[in-house]
Amino acid sequence: MSSYQYDVVVLGAGPAGESAAVNAAKHDKRVAIVELQSAVGGNCTHKGTIPSKTLRHAVKQVVQFNNNPMFRDLGEPRWVSFPRMLERSRRVIEDQVAMRTRFYARNRIDVFFGTASFVDPHTIQVTDGHGARESLVADNIVIATGSRPYRPSDVNFRHPRIYCSDTILGLSHTPRRIMIYGAGVIGCEYASIFSNLGVKVDLIDTRDRLLSFLDDEISDALSYHLRNNGVQIRHNEEYSRVEGDETGVTLHLKSGKKMRADAFMWANGRTGNTDTLKLENAGLESNSRGQLQVDTNYRTRVEHIHAAGDVIGWPSLASAAYDQGRSASGDALSKNSRFVDDIPTGIYTIPEISSLGKTERELTDARTPYEVGQAFFKDTARAQITGDTVGMLKILFNPRTLEIYGIHCFGDQASEILHIGQAIMNQPGESNTLAYFVNTTFNYPTMAEAYRIAAHNGLNRLH
């Protein structure tokens, strides 16, 4: 067994691991990264963010084509199968892998493919697919192994009609009806994708409203548009058993309801990828969800071992993972590090959702006076031009100082639009003000102009 010495070894080549490794290499450290899959990119590239968002974009393009009167002369609406949509995802994944492989080569980072496990607090053993083993000894270790869908033992995921958010990407046909159990971000995104493909969707929610962490108005808008597109939402339900047969899947709910569809997708919870790491050999242990506890510098209870990304839990977003990984390796090298908590929410339903800061409910519960400024996309010239008139921008602000408390956006390009407001909210002291949007000239026509409209709308509400 060969043995190698490094300054930093990173476990996992997803967003957090990549960022941690590259940051360490930029500080002239000898770095190795270990990846379980046969190519870099992690679950983000191969099973999560990239394929699902590419799939969503392809579906949205077909919907826009079919709904655009200008293309009616070309004949009947086009129908594209789910597997055909996935082809585009595979091409994007290939491009992402090639790009990220160049990152490691350019920064002279050694990449090992195989299963990583601790031998002791400073030693990692890597076992490849042929059983060959290599030993990596490091001064510092960053765990960024990500997460996978939680799969309860009483659901038979080996059945060809029962899927999770990983295996759904191998769906080889377009079902006529699908049941999605779990109405979190992943469940809502896939409900939106399938319903826009013309698939009948039953979305089973274990709670009393969709995405309750969102502003109530935005959550209600999502519910309305999903239902308007044919999604049947069932709140406050829990499964008792899932039965698959040759022709479909039957879902039994504790409420006594029995539902049936061609396919079933489990989208309820995720588990940290720590079960094969042999954490006990490093003096660590995970919680019941396979996650590691860290402090505000991303240190575990073992001083030289840091963790970042989905493996530490909240917020389990690729955007946050990049910054967490960089901060984790930065702290390990006594360089710049920050706790990542300024995180916008991006939900890629159709239409998409993005938000940052306080909701109306949170401000009301805290007895914080606030006012609301709104801009509806149907009233903006750019949305009228593109045809994406569904949606709104909502700004919550202090009626006396005009400090912005929260920004909530629902509609096309919401995740892009939000960043303008995020930049202003991050300004220190009195520079975080609604007045910026009134006193700044925006390009016309643009979606960003919604900020000016919302600001004037809010100011008009003041006495």
Side-chain angles (χ1 to χ4, degrees), residues 232-278:
Q232 180 68 47
I233 305 172
R234 301 178 185 274
H235 293 294
N236 296 313
E237 297 282 8
E238 290 185 36
Y239 82 102
S240 60
R241 67 183 187 276
V242 180
E243 298 175 336
D245 54 45
E246 292 183 359
T247 60
V249 180
T250 302
L251 173 64
H252 299 263
L253 298 171
K254 290 183 179 179
S255 63
K257 299 182 183 71
K258 185 169 72 172
M259 304 168 59
R260 187 168 174 82
D262 305 339
F264 174 87
M265 176 182 171
W266 180 276
N268 197 40
R270 294 187 68 82
T271 300
N273 293 325
T274 55
D275 50 315
T276 61
L277 292 178
K278 297 183 180 178

Side-chain angles (χ1 to χ4, degrees), residues 33 95-96 129 228 231 245 260 371 373 380 456:
I33 192 163
D95 291 342
Q96 286 280 309
N228 192 51
V231 177
D245 54 45
R260 187 168 174 82
E371 194 48 86
T380 65
H456 280 292

Side-chain angles (χ1 to χ4, degrees), residues 123-328:
T123 307
I124 299 295
Q125 179 177 279
V126 181
T127 306
D128 68 17
H130 303 289
R133 298 177 180 178
E134 294 176 291
S135 179
L136 313 181
V137 180
D139 297 331
N140 292 281
I141 296 171
V142 178
I143 301 174
T145 47
S147 66
R148 63 183 183 276
Y150 167 67
R151 292 165 54 141
S153 58
D154 59 349
V155 177
N156 180 18
F157 288 95
R158 294 187 301 276
H159 192 281
R161 292 180 179 269
I162 297 176
Y163 303 88
C164 66
S165 59
D166 281 359
T167 58
I168 197 70
L169 297 170
L171 183 64
S172 60
H173 68 288
T174 305
R176 291 184 176 274
R177 188 183 201 109
I178 188 170
M179 296 178 291
I180 299 177
Y181 186 84
V185 171
I186 294 174
C188 286
E189 288 182 348
Y190 273 100
S192 184
I193 288 170
F194 278 110
S195 63
N196 277 279
L197 275 174
V199 178
K200 293 181 180 180
V201 179
D202 288 289
L203 181 61
I204 295 88
D205 186 9
T206 59
R207 301 182 181 183
D208 59 1
R209 67 181 298 121
L210 293 183
L211 306 179
S212 57
F213 59 88
L214 292 175
D215 187 87
D216 290 347
E217 194 170 6
I218 302 297
S219 174
D220 291 342
L222 174 62
S223 296
Y224 169 80
H225 285 283
L226 284 175
R227 286 193 170 101
N228 192 51
N229 210 36
V231 177
Q232 180 68 47
I233 305 172
R234 301 178 185 274
H235 293 294
N236 296 313
E237 297 282 8
E238 290 185 36
Y239 82 102
S240 60
R241 67 183 187 276
V242 180
E243 298 175 336
D245 54 45
E246 292 183 359
T247 60
V249 180
T250 302
L251 173 64
H252 299 263
L253 298 171
K254 290 183 179 179
S255 63
K257 299 182 183 71
K258 185 169 72 172
M259 304 168 59
R260 187 168 174 82
D262 305 339
F264 174 87
M265 176 182 171
W266 180 276
N268 197 40
R270 294 187 68 82
T271 300
N273 293 325
T274 55
D275 50 315
T276 61
L277 292 178
K278 297 183 180 178
L279 293 172
E280 64 276 9
N281 293 339
L284 294 172
E285 63 179 351
S286 61
N287 63 18
S288 59
R289 300 182 65 180
Q291 299 165 345
L292 292 169
Q293 184 175 355
V294 295
D295 63 15
T296 55
N297 292 304
Y298 300 100
R299 300 173 190 162
T300 66
R301 66 186 187 188
V302 178
E303 185 177 358
H304 68 279
I305 301 177
H306 290 66
D310 279 17
V311 78
I312 66 171
W314 182 89
S316 294
L317 295 171
S319 56
Y322 274 108
D323 290 341
Q324 290 173 342
R326 187 172 187 274
S327 291

Side-chain angles (χ1 to χ4, degrees), residues 341-356:
D341 58 356
D342 175 31
I343 304 165
T345 296
I347 301 169
Y348 295 86
T349 48
I350 304 175
E352 66 189 61
I353 299 168
S354 195
S355 64
L356 181 68

Side-chain angles (χ1 to χ4, degrees), residues 35-46:
E35 172 56 41
L36 177 63
Q37 300 184 74
S38 59
V40 298
N43 286 340
C44 171
T45 296
H46 297 277

